[in-house]
């Protein structure tokens, strides 16, 4: 399996990431094609060799026309969903912008749909994220680990004036991803764009994992500060296969597990055995429970659900499996002690983390305890981010996951105009024929508020216009 590690000791930015990918062998033409697929004004990428502190690297410059691009999150999302991109690249790009939207909404105290991206909404930053997503997806990496991220300190200038460093968006994005950070240098080392790409692509954080190195890409930032070489390194290699066990070792380990020995090696072997016998798609605890009997309950309620062997660098085994197969994944956990008022925010956080859908099922657990099963559907590439959001926003201490088959209709995005207010329309097609067209609720709600009309009236008007313009 191909694995990779990002050395973010000098920080991270969009141009550094593009430089590292091109330096590692990703064709600049592939990155350019992904940027062209956005259908925006002409954007041109240029790569050149540079040196930072005497070390060689590649600098990718993004040439954009002089236009004002102050975009909302929903317009960027629609643009990414409509673009002709590789699905893995689309997932990374959407995940990066979703994290930025959540961070900006928290920083400014506004709903995510109302977030206006200023610097990050500019064409060069959009190109950085989409180009980096396409480059990473092309490498076929099954697990990406990142080091501690140097974020820097001091102040910088933004569209709203002076901004403290690390920028609020950088801290929030990396905090939500569970990424370790350090200040270390008196300047902006990590940009919001760089933080979002790292958070969307990395499934774990730590030092260089054990691997057989095959290539290294070195990307350079625009500055050459005296404190350290302004370089981002992407180390790509093959995972080191574990040593094969002999039959005797297998019997001994199985016997020890049967007698309850709780050594790290035994747990890992048990997880391997579960995988080989067809149970490898279930991971984690069956659910969650606190109280004096919770440990006993977990031990006896799910005897066939083995804890995954968490490699300290590459993340849970199920992440690797999901990334290999590329199939959609459903993650589930039972929760019996979360304040019910927090569920709407928790479900919203899961969607922000990259989930395709998230929903609750009321259940009755043993001893008559009312609870909920939270189900999350996500792309394989988003498993790590979704698990992190589940842990951060609920009280679960474990979860299970399994791959599914999914049939999705072709989708297109358009707009209708209701008295001067644009309302998005999601169009579903089967074999090229329109079978459904639904209006975007948030757009309709905003139009209803602006026009002073009941929401149901605006929804009906927009639906009627959609039916006329996009008949079935």
């Amino acid at each position: 399996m191909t694995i990779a590690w990002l050395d973010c000791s000098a920080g991270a930015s969009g141009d550094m990431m593009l430089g590292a990918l091109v330096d590692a062998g990703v064709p600049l033409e592939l990155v350019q094609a992904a940027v062209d697929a956005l259908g925006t004004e002409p954007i041109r990428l240029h790569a050149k060799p540079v040196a930072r502190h005497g070390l060689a690297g590649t600098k990718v410059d993004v040439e954009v026309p002089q236009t004002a691009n102050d975009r909302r999150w929903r317009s960027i999302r629609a643009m990414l969903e409509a673009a002709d991109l590789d699905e893995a690249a689309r997932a990374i790009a959407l995940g990066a912008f979703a994290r930025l939207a959540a961070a900006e909404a928290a920083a400014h105290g506004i709903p995510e749909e109302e977030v206006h991206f200023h610097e990050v909404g500019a064409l060069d930053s959009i190109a950085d994220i989409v180009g980096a997503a396409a480059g990473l997806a092309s490498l076929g990496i099954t697990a990406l680990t990142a080091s501690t991220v140097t974020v820097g300190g001091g102040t910088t200038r933004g569209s709203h004036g002076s901004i403290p460093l690390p920028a609020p968006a950088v801290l929030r994005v990396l905090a939500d991803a569970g990424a370790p950070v350090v200040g270390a240098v008196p300047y902006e080392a990590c940009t919001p764009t760089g933080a979002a790409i790292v958070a969307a692509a990395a499934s774990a954080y730590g030092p260089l994992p054990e691997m057989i190195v095959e290539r290294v890409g070195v990307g350079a930032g625009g500055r050459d500060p005296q404190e350290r070489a302004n370089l981002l390194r992407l180390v790509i290699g093959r995972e080191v296969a574990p040593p094969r066990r002999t039959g005797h070792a297998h019997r001994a380990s199985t016997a020890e597990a049967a007698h309850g020995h709780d050594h790290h090696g035994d747990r890992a072997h048990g997880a391997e055995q579960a995988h080989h016998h067809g149970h490898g798609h279930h991971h984690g605890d069956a659910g969650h429970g606190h109280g004096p009997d919770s440990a006993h309950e977990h031990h006896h309620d799910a005897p066939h659900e083995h804890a995954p062997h968490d490699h300290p660098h590459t993340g849970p085994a199920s992440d690797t499996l999901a990334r290999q197969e590329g199939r959609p994944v459903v993650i589930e956990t039972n929760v019996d002690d979360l304040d019910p008022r927090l569920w709407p925010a928790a479900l919203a956080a899961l969607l922000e983390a990259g989930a395709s859908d998230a929903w609750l099922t009321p259940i009755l657990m043993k001893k008559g305890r009312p609870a909920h099963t939270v189900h999350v559907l996500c792309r394989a590439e988003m498993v790590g981010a979704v698990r992190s959001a589940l842990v951060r926003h609920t009280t679960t201490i474990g979860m299970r996951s399994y791959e599914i088959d999914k049939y999705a209709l072709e989708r297109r995005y358009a707009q209708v105009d209701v008295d001067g207010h644009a309302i998005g329309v999601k169009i579903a097609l089967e074999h090229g024929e329109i079978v459904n067209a639904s209006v975007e609720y948030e757009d309709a709600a905003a139009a209803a508020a602006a026009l002073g009309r009941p929401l149901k009236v605006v929804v009906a008007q927009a639906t009627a216009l959609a039916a006329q313009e996009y008949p079935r």
Side-chain angles (χ1 to χ4, degrees), residues 54-78:
L55 299 176
T58 295
K59 176 74 170 66
V60 172
D61 294 313
V62 181
E63 179 186 345
V64 298
Q66 294 297 319
T67 58
N69 284 285
D70 182 8
R71 302 176 185 269
R72 289 191 181 188
W73 160 222
R74 63 180 176 222
S75 68
I76 291 180
R77 179 174 58 205

Side-chain angles (χ1 to χ4, degrees), residues 282-289 294 297-308 331-336 363 365-366 371-374 396-401:
H282 289 287
H283 301 281
D285 297 327
H288 177 78
S294 62
E297 290 164 8
H298 282 299
H299 179 74
H300 292 285
D301 286 350
H304 299 296
E305 292 193 19
H306 299 273
I331 302 171
E332 296 176 349
T333 184
N334 298 342
V335 179
D336 64 1
I363 60 172
M365 295 177 65
K366 59 185 178 298
H372 289 88
T373 299
V374 54
T396 186
I397 58 173
M399 58 202 74
R400 52 194 176 269
S401 60

Side-chain angles (χ1 to χ4, degrees), residues 280-282 318 321-323 325-332 356-359 375-380 383 400-408:
H281 61 291
H282 289 287
S318 57
L321 176 63
R323 288 170 181 268
E325 299 296 331
R327 297 171 64 191
V329 176
V330 171
I331 302 171
E332 296 176 349
S356 303
D357 199 2
W359 66 99
H375 314 260
V376 189
L377 172 66
C378 66
R379 293 187 177 97
V383 166
R400 52 194 176 269
S401 60
Y402 51 91
E403 296 173 347
I404 62 167
D405 290 319
K406 178 181 175 182
Y407 175 67

